[in-house]
Amino acid sequence: MSSSSGRISAQRGAALRCKGWRQEAILRLLENNLENAENAAELVVYMSVAKAVRDWPSYERTVAALKQLEVGQTLVMQSGKPIGVFTTRADGPLVVMANGNLVPAWSSDAHVEEFVRKGLTIVPGFTAAAWQYIGSQGIVQGTYETFMACAHKHFDGTLAGKWLLTGGCGGMGGAQPLAGYLAGGATLVVDADAAKIGRRVETGYCQHLVHDLDEALAIVLAAKSAGTAVSVGLVGNCATVLPELLARNLVPDIVTDQTSTEPIGGYIPASISLEETRRRWKEDPESIKPLVYASMRIHIEAIAELQRRGAVAFEYGNNLRNRATAGGGARGAFEVPSFVDLYIRDFFCEGRGPFRWIAVSGEPADIDAIDEKILAEFAYNEAICTWIDKARRHVRFQGLPARIGWLAHGERTRLALLVNDMVARGKLAGPIAFSRDHLDAASAAMPYRETENMRDGSDAIADWPILNALLNGAAGADLIAVHQLCDYGQSAGVTLIADGAAGTAVRLERVLNCDTGLGVLRLADAGYEIALRAKTRHGLGL
């Protein structure tokens, strides 16, 4: 559809606009990002600021370049802007991109905002600028896995009869109500923007939208007492709602948060209305920052106090603790631990993380067929089979049909080869794109998230995502991305297109073994026993 209207949909069907399926698939993934975007007219995919490309002229030039791209050529993208096409090699990357990367001393929020205003860079998020976003379905299993890990660690393996309180129903946080429901909990998600909650209700990710705290509590606490699952989206501000719960001495069993913490375009302060906030974002952005930081301090301090009163609390990777502290000291902010350190790192030690596959033909039957293949070929893996069953019943497709599944080193390779064979034998309507979240074992250095509290103190060592991208490029990935998020993180993304070719099978095996193998070695190098055992079991390393 027309880019001038801001409405983009990924093409479906067998007709190609590009010179091969590999290029066509990448173009459809870019379109799919914007089909699922929070604000497609501004090219913003999620986080209120994370863009797919820099501007509409860059979008048009990128599409034109992909349509003309030959196998053996590589399109270079610099922070969402196409720069050139170079002759490389037939089994090399079709697209390489670096997004938001700045010299460290120039990577503060203020500098980033200045460079964005000048049109020199973008805030890439993770999957946004890498054209890998598949809507809330892309994070729903990771959120479910986190909530289930929390249940196993603290509550005998289930959230039934437990109250889960969180914030944020945007592009990333919007998976929380459904994930909490699937984990069995009575889930209350707070967001100041009713439209974001409404979108989750429309797409089946949330059951109830309410505007009154008492009404929300009545639903949630009744479900907690009955031991039944429910999801409720409350229109409100966490910096108001959480202190009110403290005043009433109402303590949830679990409290976390995925509210966007971008001071401009993201976090809504409690002291002014949503409408006034949006006006100031456009007309006087500097005036709103003190209000944002004040609300963030109240927000994180309330989470910390709920933790002191008995709640299981964790920050869910949105940088709330750091942003609140940067805006002026927030009492007890870092008493609240990170979700990765608490629940996810053991998964990473075995190369297990968020793998995803997208039917670029647009045919839901292709995902159904892959589901069946997983249930047959991975029957030993109770976690993935349980997830596939839940996803088939509860997770609606958004944009191009897609699925996500947490698979470990070797398992991702095996699935990709099985799927490539299905494409080759005509069992699927078209190729399948494989990618993963940037939240993975070797692909991120984020001291307040993926790499917080590393055993060897290597939290801030950003060599690993850069090595991850270089290695995947050497192995022949179709798309490689290296991202920076202001001054608090570096990450790498990878995409592969399973088109059924014999040469593709070779590349799939090379890239996926490199991608997850480096993750195992990264954690083994840091001294984690699970990773050291996995390294030995798989024959990795020197």
Side-chain angles (χ1 to χ4, degrees):
M1 300 180 74
S2 169
S3 61
S4 61
S5 67
R7 298 192 305 272
I8 298 292
S9 295
Q11 178 161 305
R12 273 75 163 168
L16 301 185
R17 299 157 294 173
C18 300
K19 295 187 175 183
W21 258 119
R22 289 170 63 196
Q23 302 94 312
E24 177 72 26
I26 290 174
L27 174 54
R28 294 187 187 192
L29 293 177
L30 169 57
E31 293 169 334
N32 194 54
N33 259 35
L34 294 172
E35 184 173 336
N36 286 300
E38 280 184 356
N39 183 1
E42 299 295 330
L43 297 163
V44 171
V45 180
Y46 55 69
M47 280 172 52
S48 303
V49 291
K51 283 190 165 187
V53 290
R54 195 177 301 184
D55 49 38
W56 281 112
S58 294
Y59 175 81
E60 299 290 357
R61 290 196 297 273
T62 300
V63 171
L66 288 170
K67 288 181 178 179
Q68 295 302 314
L69 195 67
E70 302 275 1
V71 170
Q73 294 182 322
T74 301
L75 169 63
V76 177
M77 301 288 298
Q78 182 265 320
S79 285
K81 178 181 178 181
I83 296 300
V85 172
F86 293 85
T87 299
T88 50
R89 68 175 199 268
D91 66 346
L94 292 169
V95 181
V96 296
M97 53 174 65
N99 297 305
N101 295 283
L102 298 167
V103 172
W106 279 265
S107 59
S108 66
D109 285 352
H111 278 117
V112 171
E113 289 166 14
E114 176 188 356
F115 293 136
V116 168
R117 283 195 302 271
K118 290 179 177 179
L120 299 174
T121 191
I122 58 173
V123 177
F126 299 99
T127 55
W131 311 340
Q132 298 160 333
Y133 185 60
I134 57 173
S136 294
Q137 63 184 331
I139 194 175
V140 66
Q141 193 199 354
T143 310
Y144 165 80
E145 292 281 358
T146 300
F147 291 164
M148 287 305 299
C150 177
H152 284 292
K153 187 166 186 174
H154 305 289
F155 304 112
D156 299 321
T158 179
L159 294 188
K162 306 302 176 185
W163 171 20
L164 167 64
L165 171 66
T166 185
C169 249
M172 304 304 285
Q176 293 181 106
L178 179 57
Y181 175 86
L182 294 178
T187 306
L188 175 59
V189 184
V190 181
D191 198 295
D193 188 347
K196 290 181 178 178
I197 300 174
R199 183 176 180 183
R200 306 311 160 197
V201 173
E202 291 170 6
T203 55
Y205 278 70
C206 186
Q207 293 172 310
H208 304 279
L209 185 158
V210 300
H211 291 264
D212 180 74
L213 175 60
D214 290 323
E215 180 184 356
L217 289 172
I219 298 170
V220 168
L221 296 180
K224 170 182 164 71
S225 297
T228 57
V230 73
S231 59
V232 179
L234 170 64
V235 181
N237 195 297
C238 288
T240 301
V241 172
L242 270 62
E244 176 61 20
L245 294 175
L246 286 168
R248 299 186 188 190
N249 200 29
L250 290 173
V251 179
D253 298 286
I254 306 161
V255 60
T256 184
D257 191 79
Q258 280 198 40
T259 305
S260 171
T261 60
E262 295 298 327
I264 307 300
Y267 196 95
I268 299 163
S271 56
I272 59 176
S273 69
L274 174 60
E275 293 73 21
E276 175 65 8
T277 298
R278 287 173 172 161
R279 185 190 69 78
R280 291 209 203 177
W281 283 342
K282 291 182 179 180
E283 299 175 8
D284 190 12
E286 290 303 314
S287 73
I288 205 168
K289 287 183 179 179
L291 307 181
V292 167
Y293 290 129
S295 284
M296 285 184 186
R297 287 194 295 274
I298 294 169
H299 187 170
I300 192 61
E301 287 177 355
I303 292 175
E305 180 58 29
L306 287 169
Q307 179 177 247
R308 294 185 200 102
R309 297 189 189 186
V312 173
F314 55 92
E315 188 205 71
Y316 208 155
N318 63 349
N319 209 30
L320 177 62
R321 298 167 303 170
N322 187 44
R323 283 265 166 84
T325 304
R331 178 176 174 265
F334 283 93
E335 293 174 11
V336 179
S338 160
F339 79 110
V340 173
D341 198 24
L342 278 179
Y343 307 123
I344 302 299
R345 188 158 291 137
D346 285 355
F347 295 160
F348 286 171
C349 286
E350 297 189 298
R352 184 178 175 219
F355 196 43
R356 58 185 71 184
W357 46 100
I358 305 101
V360 293
S361 67
E363 287 293 332
D366 285 359
I367 300 300
D368 291 338
I370 296 171
D371 286 343
E372 292 295 337
K373 180 65 72 171
I374 291 171
L375 293 173
E377 298 289 338
F378 294 82
Y380 66 90
N381 186 331
E382 182 181 355
I384 191 63
C385 291
T386 298
W387 168 250
I388 292 297
D389 178 63
K390 287 179 180 287
R392 296 179 91 171
R393 288 185 288 119
H394 297 285
V395 181
R396 298 183 195 174
F397 295 139
Q398 296 173 283
L400 292 174
R403 187 77 79 214
I404 189 164
W406 279 50
L407 293 170
H409 177 70
E411 291 181 320
R412 301 190 205 183
T413 305
R414 184 180 173 206
L415 176 60
L417 293 176
L418 287 168
V419 169
N420 195 62
D421 181 64
M422 293 170 75
V423 177
R425 291 187 295 111
K427 300 296 184 182
L428 302 177
I432 300 295
F434 287 102
S435 71
R436 52 144 174 80
D437 203 342
H438 292 216
L439 165 72
D440 208 25
S443 61
M446 298 192 71
Y448 299 113
R449 184 170 154 155
E450 277 82 348
T451 53
E452 181 169 337
N453 197 29
M454 291 290 290
R455 178 168 294 179
D456 64 345
S458 62
D459 303 27
I461 303 301
D463 294 340
W464 295 101
I466 295 170
L467 287 171
N468 179 258
L470 291 171
L471 185 61
N472 285 335
D478 285 300
L479 181 150
I480 300 147
V482 180
H483 290 179
Q484 183 177 332
L485 279 173
C486 300
D487 60 359
Y488 60 89
Q490 194 105 33
S491 69
V494 63
T495 297
L496 289 152
I497 313 302
D499 61 0
T504 297
V506 174
R507 290 190 303 109
L508 287 168
E509 185 169 16
R510 277 199 315 239
V511 174
L512 292 172
N513 283 343
C514 286
D515 192 48
T516 52
L518 185 66
V520 172
L521 292 181
R522 191 263 184 274
L523 274 299
D525 189 68
Y528 289 92
E529 290 81 2
I530 297 173
L532 290 165
R533 291 195 296 270
K535 170 185 173 180
T536 300
R537 187 167 66 252
H538 294 294
L540 296 169
L542 299 176

